[in-house]
Amino acid sequence: MSIEIAGVGRRFGDFVALEDINLSVPAGQLTALLGPSGGGKSTLLRIIAGLENADSGTVTIEGNDATRLPARKRNVGFVFQHYAAFKHMTVARNVAFGLEIRKQPKDQVAERVREMLRLVHLEQFADRYPAQLSGGQRQRMALARALAIEPSVLLLDEPFGALDAKVRKELRDWLRRLHDEVHVTTVFVTHDQEEALEVADQIVVINQGRIEQIGTPDELYDQPASDFVLSFLGPVTTLDGRLVRPHDIEVAAGPVPDSVVGTITRWTRIGYEVRLEVTPTSGGDPVQVQLTRNDALQRGLAEGSTVWLREVAPVNGAHSPVPA
């Protein structure tokens, strides 16, 4: 394992930010720390980086006890949400900064900067200043600067949070391809479920200072360990007293076994997807259903239609009883 976290705890006054965190981060993999705001994920990342001290527990990086090491001696690269760029320096000088303070030879620094700028596709912007770049380009520059020092671990704190949705999607794809090329152990913090599911090899779900579940994206989505994980990783709705995924609900025009009858009270199209709100005849909260536009049109579904709903082929652990 590249990073081992054992018994880590952190308090801020009476507030428990982290409690007895135990985590292994595999070498060469991309691990996401996922959870709601205030859940403790950024605090854990800063403890790994050495920017925050734990009250208890240990941090081991590549077999070395880093618990009390200052950040500068941990050989980690850190990328913040807002880039932390040096505005008075060119892109090339920003990328070179970490190498220069390590007093590496100038010719080696120049070659490493060229290599990094090629890696992040910014070689043509070497002489520009950060203000002359787009948000996505500035974030790629920040990644190049972090990678230039050849860190043992790359840490990303909400790296795409300040960007618009289209740029975030492009950078997610780019980050995954970059990671597959450089294979540096990477830990990134996000509260965006889609981002974690799309990019990560391993996801650590953190809530209220505790780890709820650790696993691959498929394991967490299909076999959530709790209602919180089920609800946090993707949409859920209530069907016959159970939490289920809206896209795991079958819609029938006539009675079928183990079904709930209701009326479509809302029909909304979003691109290729149709979202239905079905109010059960027996009463209770409306059920949310997702299906493709073609499926909805072929079935002739419309507001006011009576339909029968049932969960289809539930994966073991993919739903759980609604808490009383």
Side-chain angles (χ1 to χ4, degrees), residues 195-208:
E195 185 170 280
L197 290 168
E198 184 176 340
V199 173
D201 299 306
Q202 172 180 264
I203 298 176
V204 182
V205 181
I206 299 178
N207 182 41
Q208 295 182 341

Side-chain angles (χ1 to χ4, degrees), residues 17-285:
L18 295 171
E19 184 172 357
D20 194 26
I21 297 295
N22 296 282
L23 171 65
S24 295
V25 176
Q29 288 197 10
L30 201 159
T31 296
L33 304 181
L34 175 68
S37 297
K41 54 191 185 298
S42 288
T43 299
L44 179 57
L45 193 78
R46 291 176 65 84
I47 287 173
I48 295 171
L51 301 175
E52 192 83 51
N53 291 321
D55 296 325
S56 60
T58 59
V59 176
T60 303
I61 300 177
E62 292 198 318
N64 299 312
D65 186 356
T67 308
R68 299 303 170 195
L69 281 180
R72 68 181 182 277
K73 293 186 177 180
R74 296 194 182 197
N75 194 32
V76 301
F78 203 104
V79 178
F80 298 89
Q81 178 177 342
H82 294 287
Y83 327 121
F86 298 109
K87 298 179 182 180
H88 65 288
M89 293 183 181
T90 64
V91 170
R93 287 293 309 285
N94 265 276
V95 175
F97 180 77
L99 300 169
E100 291 176 343
I101 63 174
R102 286 166 173 77
K103 302 188 184 304
Q104 293 195 10
K106 289 185 178 181
D107 58 339
Q108 292 183 18
V109 171
E111 178 55 34
R112 183 64 176 167
V113 169
R114 284 193 293 270
E115 179 185 349
M116 288 297 98
L117 291 180
R118 283 195 298 269
L119 183 68
V120 301
H121 308 298
L122 289 178
E123 57 266 45
Q124 69 271 37
F125 302 114
D127 295 325
R128 293 193 184 182
Y129 289 88
Q132 297 173 300
L133 302 179
S134 68
Q137 289 168 340
R138 286 196 294 270
Q139 194 59 284
R140 295 198 332 249
M141 179 195 71
L143 281 162
R145 184 176 59 190
L147 289 169
I149 63 171
E150 299 184 80
S152 302
V153 175
L154 178 63
L155 306 176
L156 312 173
D157 192 2
E158 300 270 10
F160 310 136
L163 304 171
D164 63 52
K166 183 175 184 296
V167 176
R168 282 203 309 271
K169 176 67 170 67
E170 292 172 352
L171 282 181
R172 286 203 302 266
D173 295 342
W174 175 81
L175 177 62
R176 184 66 246 188
R177 291 194 300 270
L178 176 69
H179 180 269
D180 290 341
E181 184 173 343
V182 299
H183 294 293
V184 63
T185 303
T186 302
V187 182
F188 78 102
V189 162
T190 182
H191 62 267
D192 187 320
Q193 301 93 328
E194 182 177 333
E195 185 170 280
L197 290 168
E198 184 176 340
V199 173
D201 299 306
Q202 172 180 264
I203 298 176
V204 182
V205 181
I206 299 178
N207 182 41
Q208 295 182 341
R210 295 173 177 267
I211 292 178
E212 293 271 349
Q213 190 173 356
I214 302 171
T216 66
D218 285 349
E219 288 169 348
L220 267 64
Y221 195 87
D222 294 334
Q223 299 174 355
S226 65
D227 285 340
F228 174 81
V229 176
L230 174 64
S231 300
F232 198 76
L233 266 83
V236 294
T237 191
T238 304
L239 178 66
D240 198 23
R242 302 188 310 280
L243 290 178
V244 299
R245 304 285 188 199
H247 52 72
D248 284 336
I249 297 176
E250 178 185 35
V251 182
V256 292
D258 302 318
S259 62
V260 173
V261 62
T263 302
I264 298 176
T265 50
R266 186 175 178 84
W267 192 104
T268 306
R269 177 188 172 187
I270 303 176
Y272 66 88
E273 180 181 88
V274 168
R275 298 180 184 178
L276 305 178
E277 182 179 275
V278 179
T279 300
T281 302
S282 59
D285 293 333

